[in-house]
Each structure stands twice: as structure tokens, then as C-alpha cells.
Amino acid sequence: MLFTIYSIGPAWWLIVSATKSREQLYTTNGLWFADFRLFDNLVELFKYENGSFGLWMWNSVLYSTAGSLGLTAVALAAGYGLAMYQYRGKATSMAFVIGSFLIPGALLTVPSYLLFVQLGIFNTIWSMILPAFFGPFSVYLAKVYTEGAVPPELLEAARIDGAGEYRTFFSIGLRLLTTAGATIFLLHFVAMWNSFYAPLIMLRDRTLWPVMLGLYSWLGRGADSEIDVTTLVITGSLVASVPMVLLMVAMQRYWRAGVTMGSLK
């Protein structure tokens, strides 16, 4: 019970605080409602700075969706290849994959910055999307799942029937890796949605910022002559969490299907 309260406490505070006015935020009980002003706060949120919040939300949707789709495709293909094929240097390949996700991402910041400047993609959307296509931990996860979910005998039967390697992968392999793909997509989408350090380094144009970096810039401002920005940051944080909830609910059926398929084997 205590752990449940500890887990939902911050979310409850966020919901309650997003419904309050500027004065009530500082003068009323932080864990209970006062005058319900959520809709007024939403209007102010999307009007402030000529609608910057809506643009930042769209940027986050673009970066997270494009990057996660690309990573899921690359990871499933690479994991499938590592699991189902035998070739010279396979052990070395796995060593590089495992060693790659043990390296802290912060160590790659300066090399990535220099590379993106040379490629001409610094301060563009591609500096956020292209690096997201490659995730060694996701490749390892796909490889492990493929070993348990894709029977080699099934692939041999497809080859005997005349199916090529690409058709075998797209027609059989991907269908059996739905749960792994959904997991990889969701984990990376959440990571991309909450990304802060990478856009802080790679993006200078405010119109390209994701929502988390934009809210941070408002929080650092504190207040201006017309409005307490803290209220907008709280309301924006609540709105920014909605896509995560919707995505989790929408993808439950893929995990349920995966568990059912595993129980029937």
C-alpha cells in the first residue's frame, strides 16, 4: 500500500496542480483540488509565446515516432540475423553489440556533435532522428527474443517451399516478433519523448526543440510580467504525459497476443 501511494503520489500532485490558478498553486493544499481551472490553464498554455508548446509537442511526436520506427526495424532485422544465421565472426559481432550498450551515452556527445557538424545536419531534425535508428541494447533484446520465438525448423520449411530469405523474414519472422517489436518501440519512444540532453546539445533553433526542452526553458524563466510560467510548466507536463498513457493502452494487445502465443507453443 505504501509503495502504491509512493508511486502514484507525484502523478496525483501533477493532476491536482494543473487544475489550479496561480494563486491557488501556492496557497492551497497541494494534494487536493480548489477552483477547477484546468481548461483556462490549457488555453493559456497553447496561447503562450504564439503557441510554442503545440509546436514542441509536434516535434516530440515526430522525433519519437520516426526514431522509434526506424530503430524497431533495424533492431528486429539485426537481431533476427544474429539469432538465425551462422557466419564467421558472429561471436565478435555479439561482443561489439554488448560492449556498445555498456558505454555511457554522454561519452559520445562530443564525437556526435563534431560528426553532425561535418555532415551538415547539426541543428536539424535529422540530428535527432538518424542517431535514434541505432540502439545496441534493442538489437540484443531482439536477438534474445528471436531465439525463443522463431523455430529454425519453420524457416527451413519455408526455404524448402522456395521462399527466399527476405520473404521468410517479412512473412514469417516479423509476424513472430510482434511482441519484441512492440516492446522495443515503446521503450525507445518513451526514451525519445523524455530526451533532454541530446536536443540541448544538438538543437539551437527553438522551433526544433522537443517538448521537454521547451518546458525546461520556461521553468528556468520562472515568471514574466503577465503570467506565472510555473503554472504553464505544470499543465504542460500533464499534457505531455498523455501520449505515453495512450501509447501504453494502445499497445497492450500486442503484449497480450505475444503471451498467448507463447503459452500455446
Side-chain angles (χ1 to χ4, degrees):
M1 182 63 179
L2 292 177
F3 287 109
T4 302
I5 296 175
Y6 178 79
S7 299
I8 67 175
W12 176 254
W13 178 88
L14 181 64
I15 295 172
V16 170
S17 299
T19 65
K20 296 182 178 182
S21 65
R22 174 174 54 184
E23 295 77 11
Q24 293 168 351
L25 186 63
Y26 299 106
T27 60
T28 61
N29 187 346
L31 296 178
W32 197 247
F33 299 94
D35 295 336
F36 192 84
R37 288 180 48 86
L38 176 61
F39 298 110
D40 295 333
N41 291 340
L42 289 174
V43 172
E44 293 179 354
L45 173 67
F46 284 95
K47 287 174 57 179
Y48 189 65
E49 285 191 344
N50 298 318
S52 295
F53 180 79
L55 179 60
W56 294 336
M57 283 286 289
W58 164 249
N59 290 339
S60 289
V61 171
L62 174 63
Y63 300 154
S64 301
T65 303
S68 299
L69 287 175
L71 173 70
T72 302
V74 172
L76 290 181
Y80 176 89
L82 288 171
M84 307 310 298
Y85 295 104
Q86 299 297 327
Y87 58 91
R88 182 179 301 176
K90 180 177 180 178
T92 304
S93 301
M94 280 304 306
F96 276 112
V97 170
I98 295 175
S100 296
F101 66 75
L102 295 179
I103 299 175
L107 295 180
L108 303 178
T109 302
V110 173
S112 299
Y113 171 82
L114 297 176
L115 177 62
F116 294 165
V117 169
Q118 292 178 357
L119 293 177
I121 63 174
F122 174 74
N123 197 34
T124 68
I125 63 173
W126 301 112
S127 63
M128 294 298 299
I129 295 176
L130 291 180
F133 287 3
F134 307 100
F137 179 76
S138 298
V139 172
Y140 179 76
L141 180 63
K143 186 257 185 187
V144 173
Y145 188 89
T146 301
E147 291 176 339
V150 182
E153 297 81 5
L154 185 61
L155 302 185
E156 289 297 331
R159 295 186 182 105
I160 292 175
D161 290 339
E165 297 301 326
Y166 289 106
R167 183 177 180 183
T168 301
F169 172 67
F170 286 106
S171 300
I172 299 177
L174 282 183
R175 294 179 182 270
L176 297 176
L177 298 177
T178 303
T179 302
T183 303
I184 292 171
F185 179 86
L186 180 61
L187 292 177
H188 194 66
F189 190 96
V190 172
M192 285 285 293
W193 188 269
N194 294 322
S195 63
F196 174 80
Y197 190 61
L200 178 65
I201 300 300
M202 300 301 173
L203 300 177
R204 292 290 180 266
D205 189 349
R206 288 177 60 90
T207 62
L208 298 177
W209 284 357
V211 65
M212 295 303 170
L213 184 56
L215 291 177
Y216 174 79
S217 70
W218 283 357
L219 188 61
R221 184 181 309 171
D224 59 22
S225 59
E226 298 180 356
I227 190 170
D228 183 7
V229 185
T230 304
T231 305
L232 298 187
V233 172
I234 293 175
T235 307
S237 299
L238 178 63
V239 175
S241 65
V242 172
M244 299 292 96
V245 177
L246 295 179
L247 184 64
M248 181 69 70
V249 173
M251 300 191 72
Q252 280 185 347
R253 64 189 185 95
Y254 293 103
W255 288 314
R256 189 180 300 113
V259 172
T260 303
M261 181 183 65
S263 64
L264 292 176
K265 281 186 177 181

